[in-house]
Amino acid sequence: MATSDPDEALWLTPAEKEAWTGLVSLVLLLPGRLESPLRHDAGLTLFEYLALSHISEAPERRLRMSELAYLANGSLSRLSNVVKRFEQRGWVERMPDPGDGRYTLAVLTDDGHDVVVAAAPTHVRSVRELVLDPLTPEDQQALARIAAKLRTRPVDLA
């Protein structure tokens, strides 16, 4: 429904509004629902878990801070504060990137690895219960396809 007047609002159709409302609900409500069990069982926020998880999945359990901020969907300053707490707990160490000293690496320690391994079952259980189990395999494929089209997957953001 294009209009020639740039000041005229292009109102959403009922179907478009339903799609938009569904997406906003996912974006705003789902993270809190995924975080609650992590806080209860592991004492971690979703952001903290995702940061630890991304480092644990990286080669040699090392990841540039800038890349980690990007993957965990947080600012570099927010991540720096979280990683500082991780360092105080002995979960992560920071070091210059030997390949390019302009970057800092977050390196997961064995203790940090133990934390993420212990928290992972809670997270996976929540993901299954809240996201995957209610969906058919076709729904899951559609969700992945939609995320790809909207370029919201970590691989699209890199």
Side-chain angles (χ1 to χ4, degrees):
M1 281 173 37
T3 179
S4 58
D5 183 358
D7 293 328
E8 185 179 329
L10 297 176
W11 300 110
L12 301 179
T13 66
E16 290 170 332
K17 185 168 190 236
E18 185 175 347
W20 170 242
T21 301
L23 176 62
V24 167
S25 295
L26 283 171
V27 169
L28 297 178
L29 299 176
L30 192 56
R33 291 178 180 169
L34 291 169
E35 182 171 292
S36 183
L38 279 170
R39 278 189 176 275
H40 181 268
D41 293 356
L44 295 171
T45 67
L46 182 60
F47 182 79
E48 291 169 337
Y49 173 79
L50 291 175
L52 290 171
S53 177
H54 283 301
I55 303 170
S56 76
E57 294 174 350
E60 299 179 31
R61 299 189 321 210
R62 299 168 180 243
L63 202 55
R64 285 182 176 171
M65 289 285 289
S66 54
E67 186 176 350
L68 181 57
Y70 187 73
L71 291 171
N73 193 33
S75 67
L76 197 50
S77 62
R78 178 183 183 195
L79 178 66
S80 288
N81 289 328
V82 167
V83 169
K84 182 178 181 180
R85 288 194 304 274
F86 288 169
E87 285 179 305
Q88 292 168 346
R89 295 174 185 161
W91 299 349
V92 171
E93 296 173 351
R94 281 189 261 201
M95 63 185 303
D97 184 340
D100 188 337
R102 297 175 296 171
Y103 296 100
T104 300
L105 295 176
V107 182
L108 193 65
T109 66
D110 289 340
D111 286 347
H113 188 257
D114 291 346
V115 169
V116 75
V117 166
T122 295
H123 178 67
V124 171
R125 192 169 33 256
S126 296
V127 167
R128 287 194 175 286
E129 177 184 314
L130 298 170
V131 180
L132 299 174
D133 290 349
L135 302 178
T136 66
E138 294 78 20
D139 291 338
Q140 293 172 18
Q141 290 172 351
L143 187 58
R145 228 179 7 261
I146 290 166
K149 283 186 177 184
L150 297 179
R151 298 183 51 79
T152 57
R153 302 167 306 157
V155 69
D156 298 322
L157 302 175

